[in-house]
Amino acid sequence: MTVFENCTVVLDVKNVPYKEKKKLRLALLDNGGNISYVINKECSFVVTGSVNDLSSNRQRSIQKLRIPVVGTQYVWSCLDEGHLLPLTEHDLAPQLACPTSEFISRPEGKVSTQIQEREEFKGQSELSKIEIETLEKGGSSLGRFRVYRGGDHELPEFPSYFQVAKYSVFEKVKPKTWSVLELQSARGRKGQQYRVLSSILREAESAVVQDKLVYCVTSEDAVEAYLLLMKEMETQGFTRTHTLPPEVERLASYSLQQLLLEEKLNCSSLSQEVGVFVELVWTEALGSLSNILTVPVSKISLNDVSRVEGLLLQAQKTQKEDEVKALLEEVNTLLPLRMIDP
């Protein structure tokens, strides 16, 4: 029996010398292992030179799927011992720090219990004086939360660049309607901020409506508001679906569209032959990349290249000059190119 039999391994060793990377790859393949180029549920473990080399997207996937992460020495130690060593004793995954892990790691049932305990401890929550005055003027509420509409004046300030910590897609058959619920997290001037947004698109209409917005100070409040809005959607006849139809992708925020693209890339799989071909093309291209990039190619991951492709496609579709400029700036951050004067 070979050491890595039935193991599917992702090699994320961009800062490891090419010869050592080749030796690692051959050591895994010659001892029964399979090389994967994406992190998905079929992955047995990830080999990396350092956890700091893993992109934020890969860190998020590793934590979400609970994939063990080991150093390069683990491969050689297994070969020295002649068997697969316990991954729990060599797992580097606990060292990862994913910004959205506080939301991802909690099952919804557990969150509800924590919220209930917190509310029992705090006692009856009350709306603030400002919220009460707003409701008296015709505003609306969700439990103890103030609910805004997209067209309301004086909406609370929220950064335009944010991460989507949780999302759900809903659909109603009659009348045909789609809705996306997002829990957004961002760091602004006031520290970490949270917003829960419900967007709706009706088949008979062409415009996306920001139906409900709830602004929260803590992540616990944001999760509670998210669950309350989910329950409200279900009582209105909406049912949850796992996919967002291409024709209504604009219903999702730009940050969610990026997340959906990354999830699609991570869930895809490549055959070993295609993976080897891609690696050969990449290696051959290294000779001319130094004339194009302002940073060493070793500092750019394949995931960065995939993200750049998604950003460029997004820029091609949008018609707003400010959004195009922001997208291209992010492209230049991920893939710094030498600017040549005409």
Side-chain angles (χ1 to χ4, degrees):
M1 179 177 178
T2 51
V3 175
F4 301 110
E5 187 174 358
N6 298 324
C7 288
T8 300
V9 184
V10 170
L11 275 177
D12 195 319
V13 286
K14 60 183 178 181
N15 289 329
V16 172
Y18 176 73
K19 288 185 178 180
E20 185 178 345
K21 185 191 301 184
K22 187 175 181 181
K23 287 180 181 179
L24 280 168
R25 183 174 173 278
L26 290 175
L28 290 165
L29 293 174
D30 292 345
N31 289 277
N34 297 311
I35 303 295
S36 175
Y37 296 88
V38 291
I39 296 176
N40 53 33
K41 61 182 180 180
E42 306 299 329
C43 180
S44 305
F45 57 90
V46 177
V47 177
T48 183
S50 169
V51 292
N52 295 325
D53 293 341
L54 297 169
S55 66
S56 59
N57 177 50
R58 284 202 159 180
Q59 290 187 32
R60 181 166 53 242
S61 300
I62 287 168
Q63 290 190 329
K64 184 176 181 179
L65 299 173
R66 302 181 185 274
I67 305 295
V69 180
V70 297
T72 55
Q73 184 56 42
Y74 175 79
V75 176
W76 307 120
S77 298
C78 289
L79 294 177
D80 290 342
E81 295 293 330
H83 62 87
L84 195 67
L85 298 175
L87 286 164
T88 53
E89 297 178 8
H90 300 81
D91 192 8
L92 304 177
Q95 300 180 21
L96 300 177
C98 184
T100 59
S101 60
E102 60 178 313
F103 300 98
I104 295 173
S105 59
R106 303 182 192 170
E108 290 181 359
K110 187 175 181 181
V111 170
S112 300
T113 303
Q114 290 176 340
I115 292 171
Q116 183 178 0
E117 292 174 352
R118 178 171 59 84
E119 288 304 314
E120 289 174 355
F121 177 79
K122 289 173 62 178
Q124 182 65 34
S125 298
E126 296 181 357
L127 294 171
S128 68
K129 183 178 179 180
I130 296 176
E131 290 173 332
I132 292 174
E133 291 175 353
T134 305
L135 293 176
E136 289 175 348
K137 293 177 182 178
S140 61
S141 65
L142 178 73
R144 61 190 182 89
F145 299 105
R146 165 79 169 97
V147 178
Y148 294 86
R149 304 283 178 177
D152 288 351
H153 297 292
E154 299 181 359
L155 286 174
E157 181 181 346
F158 194 79
S160 56
Y161 292 97
F162 53 83
Q163 291 183 319
V164 177
K166 292 174 74 69
Y167 71 91
S168 297
V169 181
F170 296 88
E171 183 179 2
K172 183 192 285 187
V173 178
K174 292 183 180 180
K176 192 67 173 178
T177 310
W178 294 273
S179 178
V180 171
L181 182 63
E182 302 181 30
L183 195 164
Q184 302 166 348
S185 172
R187 182 167 294 279
R189 291 182 298 177
K190 301 178 182 179
Q192 199 69 26
Q193 298 175 245
Y194 305 93
R195 180 175 68 182
V196 183
L197 168 64
S198 172
S199 301
I200 286 183
L201 178 62
R202 297 176 177 85
E203 189 177 40
E205 303 173 4
S206 57
V208 174
V209 177
Q210 290 187 338
D211 186 52
K212 294 181 177 65
L213 299 97
V214 179
Y215 295 83
C216 304
V217 177
T218 67
S219 60
E220 289 83 1
D221 286 345
V223 173
E224 182 180 358
Y226 181 87
L227 295 176
L228 286 171
L229 281 174
M230 281 186 61
K231 185 175 181 180
E232 185 178 272
M233 296 292 292
E234 291 169 355
T235 58
Q236 292 175 359
F238 284 89
T239 56
R240 291 186 65 181
T241 178
H242 296 291
T243 57
L244 188 62
E247 61 271 19
V248 293
E249 282 184 354
R250 55 197 174 93
L251 188 59
S253 66
Y254 165 66
S255 296
L256 179 54
Q257 290 181 29
Q258 275 194 307
L259 179 60
L260 292 172
L261 176 62
E262 291 173 359
E263 288 182 350
K264 189 179 295 184
L265 291 172
N266 282 336
C267 291
S268 61
S269 59
L270 294 176
S271 66
Q272 185 172 331
E273 292 78 9
V274 173
V276 172
F277 174 72
V278 171
E279 187 170 339
L280 288 173
V281 172
W282 177 256
T283 304
E284 186 176 346
L286 292 180
S288 57
L289 285 177
S290 59
N291 299 324
I292 302 173
L293 303 173
T294 60
V295 297
V297 69
S298 58
K299 293 188 176 181
I300 298 176
S301 67
L302 291 175
N303 182 64
D304 291 335
V305 176
S306 298
R307 288 186 61 192
V308 166
E309 182 182 3
L311 290 169
L312 291 174
L313 289 173
Q314 188 71 23
Q316 186 180 23
K317 293 179 181 179
T318 187
Q319 297 179 352
K320 297 181 180 179
E321 186 175 344
D322 291 342
E323 289 186 11
V324 172
K325 184 178 179 181
L327 289 168
L328 294 180
E329 286 178 354
E330 189 170 351
V331 167
N332 192 55
T333 301
L334 292 169
L335 205 65
L337 302 175
R338 296 184 187 276
M339 304 304 293
I340 302 175
D341 296 329

